[in-house]
Amino acid sequence: MFSYVRKKLNLRLAQCQRHRGRLVSKDGRCNIEFGNVEEKSRVAFLADIWTTILDLKWRYKMTVFISAFLGSWFLFGLLWYAVAYLHKDLPEFNPFANHTPCVENINGLTSSFLFSLETQVTIGYGFRCVTEQCATAIFLLVVQSILGVIINSFMCGAILAKISRPKKRGKTITFSKNAVISKRGGKLCLLIRVANLRKSLLIGSHIYGKLLRTTVTPEGETIILDQVNIEFTVDAGSENLFFVSPLTIYHIIDKDSPFFELSVETLLQHDFELVVFLDGTVESTSATCQVRTSYIPEEVLWGYRFAPLVSKTKEGKYRVDFSNFSKTMEVETPHCAFCLQNEKDARKKGKKGYDNPTFVLSEPTETDTKM
């Protein structure tokens, strides 16, 4: 009990003393900032206006949505006012009793704005209407109607696409808070638990990882975010996962693994970030989505394994207890992958005989005996 408390205190002190930066947050957001972007590149965002609108946050998207409608209503309101002013339909011109205006009952800027609103949203109260007196007014009515349909289609489509993006589906995929290192199948493995909170499956799921660290090349170049592939798998493989219940994925720490040189004593001294990706196709919409998370050395627990969470009820159903999703249990684990490999080599040598270089085999010679 005392050793367990001491390990927890040491881990907490290490976390307080070292504040590591993350490229990917725990919820999958990328912590990166672009500086000194050329003006030509900024114009490219306007060229791809659809993606730009979709990537905006909701507060900015609603601001664009409201500004687009209010701006178009006010702009055409000014145009309707200009038509009435040029045709001298306003009361300030004292038109004759038999005067036929371009638009009935436009008396000023306010009524022009109301007529613009009625025209674009096709309300049509019947009090204000276009007459056949002015071809300019008819042309303006056609232009505003077409432009209003385009604005409605674009903005409503952008909001619908924003709501139905597969990124929201990824919010129901969760990873364990910590990664653990322990023995699995006689091998030292790094294990991570992942769960799908919805009953609808992810089709064709594929999971993999990237190890981000700072390296120095033989030429002396320092690479800040050097990426190394990390292969994750489950007992059934790494692709087309049957993601109906929480899965424990693992990475085997062998000679080809970048974690082979780690040990329980040196784990917190290394500076790396393990980013885990899960790609899949949403069953209900057939849209692809990607879920990400990351782990830093303080979030990797050496000598632990995950607590079981799947049980079977009396009714024959399988029950998943998510209260044990991130719980870990301390288990006996080698101090390093090299220690485990030496232990295996020693066992193999123990089963074999040892050669004695001083041993000489002498064959007996046959002698003839005379009877």
Side-chain angles (χ1 to χ4, degrees):
M1 182 65 182
F2 179 73
S3 61
Y4 174 79
V5 174
R6 185 176 60 184
K7 287 183 179 180
K8 286 294 184 180
L9 290 176
N10 292 336
L11 180 60
R12 180 63 63 181
L13 289 175
Q15 291 178 350
C16 295
Q17 293 174 359
R18 301 181 65 182
H19 298 279
R20 301 177 188 268
R22 288 180 181 272
L23 178 63
V24 179
S25 62
K26 296 296 288 185
D27 57 356
R29 292 177 296 177
C30 294
N31 181 25
I32 191 168
E33 180 181 348
F34 297 100
N36 300 324
V37 180
E38 297 181 357
E39 293 297 331
K40 294 181 180 180
S41 301
R42 295 181 184 273
V43 175
F45 287 94
L46 296 178
D48 187 15
I49 188 64
W50 176 254
T51 306
T52 303
I53 293 294
L54 289 183
D55 290 339
L56 288 177
K57 295 182 179 180
W58 274 109
R59 54 181 177 269
Y60 301 125
K61 183 182 292 292
M62 295 308 299
T63 301
V64 173
F65 181 85
I66 296 173
S67 301
F69 283 102
L70 289 179
S72 61
W73 296 339
F74 185 73
L75 175 63
F76 279 97
L78 292 177
L79 294 177
W80 286 116
Y81 180 80
V83 169
Y85 183 85
L86 294 176
H87 197 252
K88 297 183 178 181
D89 297 335
L90 300 176
E92 59 193 56
F93 292 106
N94 298 319
F96 297 103
N98 59 352
H99 177 76
T100 303
C102 293
V103 181
E104 295 282 357
N105 299 312
I106 286 187
N107 302 319
L109 187 59
T110 303
S111 57
S112 299
F113 176 80
L114 291 176
F115 179 71
S116 174
L117 172 64
E118 296 171 10
T119 302
Q120 188 163 328
V121 299
T122 64
I123 296 177
Y125 291 113
F127 182 69
R128 301 179 184 87
C129 60
V130 178
T131 65
E132 57 185 16
Q133 183 69 23
C134 300
T136 305
I138 298 175
F139 176 78
L140 185 59
L141 178 66
V142 173
V143 172
Q144 185 174 6
S145 299
I146 295 176
L147 186 60
V149 172
I150 295 175
I151 295 177
N152 287 336
S153 302
F154 184 86
M155 298 309 301
C156 293
I159 291 180
L160 179 61
K162 179 78 170 180
I163 296 174
S164 60
R165 291 185 77 178
K167 183 178 180 181
K168 302 301 180 182
R169 176 63 175 89
K171 298 295 184 181
T172 56
I173 306 296
T174 180
F175 289 88
S176 58
K177 182 180 179 181
N178 298 98
V180 298
I181 295 178
S182 60
K183 291 176 63 176
R184 185 183 181 94
K187 300 177 181 179
L188 190 65
C189 300
L190 184 142
L191 301 98
I192 297 172
R193 182 170 276 176
V194 58
N196 180 15
L197 301 181
R198 289 187 180 272
K199 291 186 178 180
S200 59
L201 302 180
L202 285 180
I203 304 173
S205 301
H206 172 59
I207 195 160
Y208 57 97
K210 298 286 185 181
L211 183 66
L212 308 179
R213 58 186 181 182
T214 302
T215 58
V216 180
T217 63
E219 295 77 17
E221 179 184 2
T222 302
I223 304 177
I224 301 297
L225 294 176
D226 187 22
Q227 301 184 14
V228 180
N229 290 328
I230 302 295
E231 295 295 332
F232 282 97
T233 185
V234 294
D235 294 333
S238 59
E239 296 185 358
N240 299 325
L241 305 177
F242 186 43
F243 206 3
V244 68
S245 64
L247 298 176
T248 301
I249 61 174
Y250 59 90
H251 165 71
I252 301 176
I253 303 178
D254 52 12
K255 291 184 178 180
D256 298 328
S257 172
F259 297 108
F260 185 74
E261 299 179 354
L262 296 182
S263 66
V264 64
E265 293 85 4
T266 62
L267 174 61
L268 298 179
Q269 298 176 5
H270 287 77
D271 186 12
F272 65 84
E273 180 179 355
L274 175 61
V275 184
V276 183
F277 302 86
L278 174 64
D279 298 338
T281 303
V282 181
E283 185 180 26
S284 55
T285 61
S286 298
T288 58
C289 68
Q290 183 182 88
V291 190
R292 300 178 294 268
T293 191
S294 67
Y295 299 92
I296 56 178
E298 287 81 4
E299 297 171 344
V300 180
L301 305 179
W302 194 294
Y304 290 84
R305 70 178 179 186
F306 291 110
L309 49 76
V310 179
S311 60
K312 197 171 184 179
T313 63
K314 295 180 180 180
E315 294 80 10
K317 294 184 178 180
Y318 292 93
R319 183 176 183 272
V320 179
D321 186 8
F322 278 96
S323 62
N324 293 336
F325 181 73
S326 293
K327 285 186 179 180
T328 57
M329 302 182 300
E330 190 172 5
V331 293
E332 184 179 355
T333 307
H335 284 250
C336 60
F338 187 73
C339 300
L340 180 60
Q341 185 175 1
N342 289 343
E343 181 181 347
K344 290 182 178 180
D345 293 341
R347 291 178 181 176
K348 290 180 180 179
K349 291 181 180 179
K351 296 179 180 179
K352 298 180 180 179
Y354 292 93
D355 294 333
N356 187 358
T358 62
F359 177 77
V360 178
L361 177 62
S362 61
E363 297 182 356
T365 57
E366 296 182 357
T367 56
D368 296 334
T369 57
K370 295 182 180 181
M371 297 295 296

